[in-house]
Each structure stands twice: as C-alpha cells, then as structure tokens.
Amino acid sequence: MNNHIQPVELAKTYRLLNHGPTVLVSAQHQNDRDVMSAAWACALELVPAKVSVVLDKSTYTRKLIEKSGYFVLQVPTLKQIKLVQALGSISKTDHPEKLENCHTPLFQFADYDLPMVEGCSAWIICELIPEPHNQLTHDLFIGKVIAAYADSRVFRDGHWYYHEVSDEWKSIHHVAGGHYYSIGDPVDANKT
Amino acid sequence: MNNHIQPVELAKTYRLLNHGPTVLVSAQHQNDRDVMSAAWACALELVPAKVSVVLDKSTYTRKLIEKSGYFVLQVPTLKQIKLVQALGSISKTDHPEKLENCHTPLFQFADYDLPMVEGCSAWIICELIPEPHNQLTHDLFIGKVIAAYADSRVFRDGHWYYHEVSDEWKSIHHVAGGHYYSIGDPVDANKT
C-alpha cells in the first residue's frame, strides 16, 4: 500500500461520491473475490455515512456481498478506464478468471478481507445493511460506511484536487457503451 | 416552450443521469410549487425506467411530492450554477417567496401540472412509487419515469453532445459548499 493513501473522515465520505463518478465495487467471501463496475452508486446519508449502489441479479459481486455482508466502493481514475470498462463488461459467472484476465491489480488493507483495486483515488469500505425488499425489488444495496481512504495526491482535507494533478487522475463518468466523460474544471458558485 | 425540447425514449432515460450530475427537483401540489437542488439522484432501473433521489425531511419539495405523488428531476447547466446553488441553499419553509426571490424561470409541459425550470438540458417526469420504509428511514424517494425530454442541442438520439456546444451547457457536479466541477471531455474506453 503506497503511503499516499490516507484515511478520510467518515462525515466527509459523501464528498468522494458527490460528483457522481462511475465506481468499482469489490467483494470477497472466504477466498472468492470479484470486482465490477457500477454507475449507479450514490451517497445516502451524511452521518452515519451511508451509500447505495444498484447491483443487477446477474452479477457475481452481488452474490459475494449477500454472503459476506461487506463491499467496497472505489473511485477509479481516467488512467484505469480500460480496466473499468473490462470489469463492467464481463462476469465472473462466465469467466472464473475474470480478475486475472483483466489484469486487476489488487491489494488489501490490514483488518479487512476485501480486495482493493490499486491506482484508484478513493476506497469506501461498507457493511451491508440487509434490506431484502430493496435488494430483491430494486437491486438496491445499502451500506454503512465503516472506513474510507483516499490517495492524498488527489483528495485530502475533505477536498478533491483534480485541478492540481495530471488528467490521468480524473474521475470517469460512464454514459453508455464504453462512452465516458472525465470530470472537468472546478467551478465555484459563490464566485462566478 | 422552445422547439429544441424533444422527447427522450424512456429506455434511454438513464443516460440523462448516468454521468452523475447535480439535479433540480421540482414538485407541485394544487397551486403550491417548489424547486430544490439535489446531488444524490441516480438511475435505478432501465426498463421500466426508474430513478431514486434522496430528499431530506426538512425540504419543502419533499412535502409536495408526498402530497401529489409526482416529481421532476432536471439536469441543470453551468449557466445556471448560481440558480442551482440558491435553490439548494434556502428552503421555501422559511422563504415562501423562494422561487420568485431566486428568479426561477418556470414553464409547463402540456398534460403535467408540474413546474419545469427553463434552461435545463433535460427533464425527467416521475410518478412516485410510494415506499414508506425508504422514505422514512433513508429519505429515499423512488419514481417511475412517465416521460422525459431533453434540449436537442445538447442531448439527442440517446447521446450527450457536451463537446459540440459551448461550456455553458455542461452539467455541474456539486462536491460541497458551493464547489462544483463541470463535466469534462468525452473519453471512449474502446479507443484510448
């Protein structure tokens, strides 16, 4: 784990998702691990910090979350766009070697048996709040944030610094079919 | 209503929200109308098209939605950033003249008694799917999309054309305290 990775105050976790990036969702049950891409992830509450993410019934990651009760939302960067697209395009159900075939670089935080993707800008570790109705009817999974980390080169002191680093750090925002937008310029509503 | 505003196929509605823009939420009950800003809005299902949005119990717009059963999610543009910030900063509960004081330009689509904000890039008209648990516990409101429209200068044939129009059309993505990012450049995962 590189020493740029620093904890994020739980009450500031929403800021990691507030600008609507496409995320990577990780989960692990025993020694079985998966990572998938998801565009439908959102902050749900400030304190206690909660998030929501929509996970289709066909996804393998969802099954691991249902078994283990934990998941990670990660904010990938423009540099990882091919990885994000690949992890969102094939399923471990059909491709048991998905993570290896996609050359997914993983690491672990001490204390958590969860696979983290190297090179992301932020990692949000969540405990599933079991809600059978939401999961079955809406494919909606709600998590309580138990820890969050960010790469301090691009997020520190509760703020993104996309404008201070190279473009490869930018968040990516999927529209459809592999077409994304990177995040753009900072704009201050109080100054414009 | 300007003639650039064209219907969006319901199955493509998710693309209006997929890149995670901050939205404006409108509602009306009898002659009482309100508009608020929200960053926690998300697509929830492709077909039938559904969306979710988190609305705090303190908001006046929420009360109108609970009474009327309908709401609108709109995608505002960089040109409207001061309006978005104002509509997200004050409540009609304390400021009954909020919409007038914020100089909110409204129009209506025929068939819908709902206030639409002029100058947005897209409008998603939703019928509330009543879910008391989600509304009370998570402040989470789920809507079935019954119609969607976009300004064809920036969204047409199911695609955004941010890169073909001036910056003032760009979506805005709130982080915190009036600090936003505008959406950036298109990136194709299949070509990079």
Side-chain angles (χ1 to χ4, degrees):
Chain A
M1 187 171 112
N2 81 61
N3 57 13
H4 296 290
I5 300 179
Q6 298 292 329
V8 174
E9 187 188 339
L10 289 189
K12 300 281 170 63
T13 304
Y14 76 95
R15 297 183 182 184
L16 300 173
L17 296 176
N18 226 54
H19 59 310
T22 295
V23 300
L24 293 176
V25 187
S26 290
Q28 177 167 340
H29 175 64
Q30 294 168 353
N31 291 319
D32 195 8
R33 309 185 292 184
D34 197 15
V35 184
M36 63 175 275
S37 306
W40 300 354
C42 206
L44 183 64
E45 192 161 340
L46 294 174
V47 179
K50 291 181 191 167
V51 299
S52 66
V53 60
V54 177
L55 302 169
D56 192 73
K57 291 178 185 68
S58 67
T59 66
Y60 196 88
T61 308
R62 170 180 173 143
K63 294 177 178 67
L64 297 179
I65 296 171
E66 288 170 330
K67 289 179 197 165
S68 71
Y70 290 88
F71 63 94
V72 189
L73 299 186
Q74 293 143 111
V75 183
T77 69
L78 181 53
K79 192 177 184 178
Q80 299 170 301
I81 189 168
K82 280 189 174 296
L83 177 64
V84 174
Q85 184 62 19
L87 291 171
S89 302
I90 63 173
S91 170
K92 190 168 174 174
T93 307
D94 308 316
H95 301 272
E97 304 298 315
K98 173 185 177 181
L99 294 185
E100 295 77 5
N101 291 347
C102 291
H103 307 291
T104 317
L106 298 175
F107 71 104
Q108 275 195 228
F109 287 106
D111 304 332
Y112 302 107
D113 280 337
L114 285 160
M116 311 285 171
V117 179
E118 276 182 27
C120 288
S121 56
W123 299 262
I124 304 169
I125 302 172
C126 303
E127 182 179 348
L128 178 67
I129 298 175
E131 296 225 338
H133 168 74
N134 279 325
Q135 294 167 208
L136 288 170
T137 307
H138 301 302
D139 295 332
L140 184 71
F141 287 69
I142 293 174
K144 180 186 171 190
V145 180
I146 55 175
Y149 296 86
D151 191 304
S152 58
R153 288 171 288 186
V154 65
F155 185 94
R156 60 185 177 273
D157 306 324
H159 299 283
W160 287 105
Y161 287 89
Y162 288 124
H163 49 294
E164 289 189 0
V165 289
S166 63
D167 281 354
E168 66 181 25
W169 281 102
K170 289 190 169 180
S171 57
I172 54 175
H173 301 246
H174 191 233
V175 178
H179 300 286
Y180 295 74
Y181 282 90
S182 61
I183 199 66
D185 296 324
V187 203
D188 190 330
N190 308 307
K191 289 183 187 164
T192 49
Chain B
M1 188 171 109
N2 81 61
N3 58 14
H4 296 289
I5 300 178
Q6 298 292 330
V8 174
E9 187 188 338
L10 289 190
K12 300 281 171 65
T13 304
Y14 76 95
R15 298 184 183 185
L16 300 173
L17 296 176
N18 226 56
H19 59 311
T22 295
V23 301
L24 293 176
V25 187
S26 290
Q28 177 167 341
H29 175 64
Q30 293 169 354
N31 291 319
D32 195 7
R33 308 187 291 185
D34 196 14
V35 184
M36 64 175 276
S37 307
W40 300 354
C42 206
L44 183 64
E45 192 161 338
L46 294 173
V47 180
K50 291 181 191 168
V51 299
S52 66
V53 60
V54 178
L55 302 168
D56 192 73
K57 291 180 185 65
S58 66
T59 66
Y60 196 89
T61 308
R62 171 181 172 141
K63 295 177 178 65
L64 297 179
I65 296 170
E66 289 170 329
K67 289 178 197 166
S68 70
Y70 289 88
F71 62 95
V72 188
L73 299 186
Q74 293 144 108
V75 183
T77 69
L78 182 53
K79 192 178 184 177
Q80 299 170 300
I81 188 169
K82 281 189 174 298
L83 176 65
V84 173
Q85 184 61 19
L87 292 171
S89 302
I90 63 173
S91 170
K92 191 169 174 173
T93 307
D94 309 316
H95 302 273
E97 304 297 316
K98 172 184 176 180
L99 294 184
E100 295 77 3
N101 292 348
C102 292
H103 308 291
T104 316
L106 298 175
F107 71 103
Q108 276 195 229
F109 286 106
D111 305 331
Y112 302 107
D113 280 337
L114 285 160
M116 311 283 171
V117 180
E118 276 182 27
C120 289
S121 56
W123 299 263
I124 303 169
I125 302 172
C126 303
E127 181 179 349
L128 178 68
I129 298 174
E131 296 225 338
H133 168 73
N134 279 326
Q135 294 166 210
L136 288 170
T137 306
H138 301 302
D139 295 332
L140 184 71
F141 286 69
I142 293 173
K144 180 185 171 189
V145 180
I146 55 175
Y149 296 86
D151 192 305
S152 57
R153 288 171 289 187
V154 65
F155 185 96
R156 59 185 177 274
D157 305 326
H159 299 283
W160 287 105
Y161 287 88
Y162 287 123
H163 49 293
E164 289 190 0
V165 289
S166 63
D167 281 354
E168 66 181 25
W169 280 102
K170 289 189 169 181
S171 57
I172 54 175
H173 302 246
H174 191 234
V175 178
H179 300 286
Y180 295 76
Y181 283 89
S182 61
I183 199 66
D185 296 324
V187 203
D188 190 329
N190 308 307
K191 289 182 187 164
T192 49

